[in-house]
Amino acid sequence: MYATMIWEKDTLSILDQTKLPEKTVYITCYNYQRVKEAIAKLEVRGAPAIGAAAAFAMVLGAKEIENYSVFMDELKKIRDDLISARPTAVNLAWACHQLYNCAATCSLDISFDILIARMEDLALKIYNDDIKCNKLIGKYGAEIVPDSATLITHCNAGALATCGWGTALGVIRSAHLAKKIKMVYVDETRPLLQGARLTAYELQKENIPCTLITDNMAAWTIKTKGVNIAITGADRIALNGDAANKIGTYGLALICKAHNIPFYIAAPISTFDFTTATGADIPVEQRKGDEITKIGDKVIAPEGVATFNPSFDVTPNELITGIITEYGIIRAPYIESIKALQEKVKK
């Protein structure tokens, strides 16, 4: 599998996911503004990958600041500008604040080069920690996958959405290594087809049995194909366990509830937003209508038709069987279990 991003001191090379699977193209980012553009355009996507890219972008931005006496003021502007790129995925803001706080805790008496080096070390740690977390998520998640499992997933929560291995697909990878996977049904994920373009691509690359379906086939597929578990990723999880993920996840969770199929979320601790009480408080990104009226460059709808294009929806906690994290699997009552998780992280 290709690396989602490659850091080389003064540049960040990002795998352009809008070109997959037809082409493998890396975008070379020399400044934080180009990373921000890549995040906004979904050239890099997936909450953990966005977070890591933003961390490296903070380093690039810090290197651009020429006046050390106003360094923190300028770094704050860069932080806030990056966070504005996409409002829903909490990993973006989390990583930007991590890098900003790293700089803030360093005395301004140290040299600029040392300060940059410390920020760079933290960005690399965020990147490497994500891979470690994903493998732990995969380990814990594989334990709840039944033998001869027929799974369904939505969007892409694989290596391409992270720094490596993946969250939901990390669970599937680990379960496949344990010889537990019979079939994975992959929702195509309209309007940008991350399931068709990316998840199917990843699974095929690793010879994991998969079948692509359109989103509106999910209910009938679950009913007729013996699906016995659903696993997706998340972009933000509220304190009560409500989870924002790619639009269509809520619908899939409702279908699973109707068919008595367990529905799991797989996400690292960085995706939890301990300051947001419920899913009602999660901002849902609204994207341009041409993502609906076109597939690629092909127009598929009448000119001027009104569109509604939320990029995410929020699945209520009562539809979620469990949340698979690098600390294990948490279950309802979610407020208590997530607060306990928060305390565990503090230690």
Side-chain angles (χ1 to χ4, degrees):
M1 185 57 59
Y2 302 110
T4 314
M5 64 195 77
I6 302 168
W7 174 251
E8 296 174 306
K9 286 292 183 183
D10 294 316
T11 61
L12 178 66
S13 296
I14 292 174
L15 177 62
D16 186 350
Q17 297 190 36
T18 66
K19 298 291 193 297
L20 289 172
E22 293 85 3
K23 298 178 181 178
T24 304
V25 177
Y26 280 87
I27 302 161
T28 303
C29 304
Y30 296 96
N31 52 54
Y32 91 87
Q33 292 95 337
R34 184 62 185 91
V35 182
K36 178 191 173 186
E37 181 183 345
I39 292 169
K41 289 183 174 180
L42 277 69
E43 291 166 333
V44 60
R45 46 145 299 281
I50 289 172
F56 289 122
M58 286 286 288
V59 179
L60 291 175
K63 290 183 176 184
E64 296 174 42
I65 300 171
E66 296 180 352
N67 188 344
Y68 199 28
S69 65
V70 294
F71 179 82
M72 291 309 303
D73 290 337
E74 292 301 308
L75 190 64
K76 182 178 183 295
K77 292 176 184 176
I78 292 168
R79 179 197 69 187
D80 294 345
D81 192 29
L82 280 166
I83 291 172
S84 72
R86 297 196 71 190
T88 302
V90 74
N91 302 61
L92 171 58
W94 172 83
C96 289
H97 286 299
Q98 288 276 310
L99 269 290
Y100 179 82
N101 292 340
C102 171
T105 55
C106 295
S107 167
L108 289 179
D109 293 334
I110 66 174
S111 71
F112 180 73
D113 288 344
I114 293 175
L115 179 58
I116 294 297
R118 290 184 184 178
M119 291 179 68
E120 183 179 0
D121 287 345
L122 179 55
L124 287 166
K125 183 176 186 301
I126 288 172
Y127 177 89
N128 290 318
D129 282 355
D130 182 64
I131 299 172
K132 294 176 185 175
C133 288
N134 291 343
K135 290 191 174 180
L136 286 171
I137 289 169
K139 172 181 176 292
Y140 290 121
E143 293 171 1
I144 55 90
V145 173
D147 291 334
S148 194
T150 300
L151 296 97
I152 191 166
T153 191
H154 187 73
C155 196
N156 173 262
L160 293 169
T162 64
C163 299
W165 199 248
T167 53
L169 286 198
V171 172
I172 291 169
R173 278 189 171 87
S174 296
H176 175 66
L177 290 173
K179 302 187 184 306
K180 284 187 164 187
I181 301 297
K182 178 180 178 182
M183 181 58 65
V184 180
Y185 284 94
V186 179
D187 284 354
E188 65 177 350
T189 319
R190 283 279 288 141
L192 294 181
L193 305 175
Q194 292 97 324
R197 293 188 303 103
L198 305 177
T199 295
Y201 170 78
E202 286 198 43
L203 293 175
Q204 275 200 328
K205 281 281 186 182
E206 301 203 21
N207 297 312
I208 299 174
C210 64
T211 300
L212 179 65
I213 61 172
T214 64
D215 296 354
N216 58 358
M217 295 175 186
W220 190 245
T221 300
I222 287 173
K223 183 178 177 66
T224 63
K225 294 297 184 180
V227 172
N228 52 13
I229 187 170
I231 307 174
T232 75
D235 287 82
R236 185 185 300 222
I237 301 171
L239 190 60
N240 73 336
D242 294 349
N245 194 49
K246 181 56 59 186
I247 189 74
T249 304
Y250 175 37
L252 180 60
L254 286 168
I255 294 167
C256 289
K257 182 74 171 179
H259 289 86
N260 198 29
I261 300 299
F263 178 88
Y264 285 91
I265 296 285
I269 192 67
S270 57
T271 300
F272 286 78
D273 184 353
F274 300 114
T275 66
T276 295
T278 74
D281 302 314
I282 296 175
V284 174
E285 177 185 0
Q286 302 294 322
R287 294 184 65 82
K288 292 180 180 179
D290 62 4
E291 291 180 352
I292 297 177
T293 59
K294 294 180 178 180
I295 294 182
D297 295 327
K298 174 68 175 176
V299 176
I300 61 168
E303 184 178 355
V305 67
T307 60
F308 174 55
N309 186 20
S311 190
F312 302 92
D313 55 27
V314 179
T315 300
N317 59 32
E318 61 266 24
L319 298 178
I320 300 171
T321 307
I323 303 173
I324 308 163
T325 79
E326 67 267 42
Y327 291 89
I329 301 172
I330 61 173
R331 303 178 187 272
Y334 284 108
I335 291 178
E336 288 84 348
S337 59
I338 290 175
K339 284 183 177 178
L341 177 64
Q342 185 180 19
E343 290 303 312
K344 187 183 292 186
V345 172
K346 287 179 182 178
K347 294 176 183 179

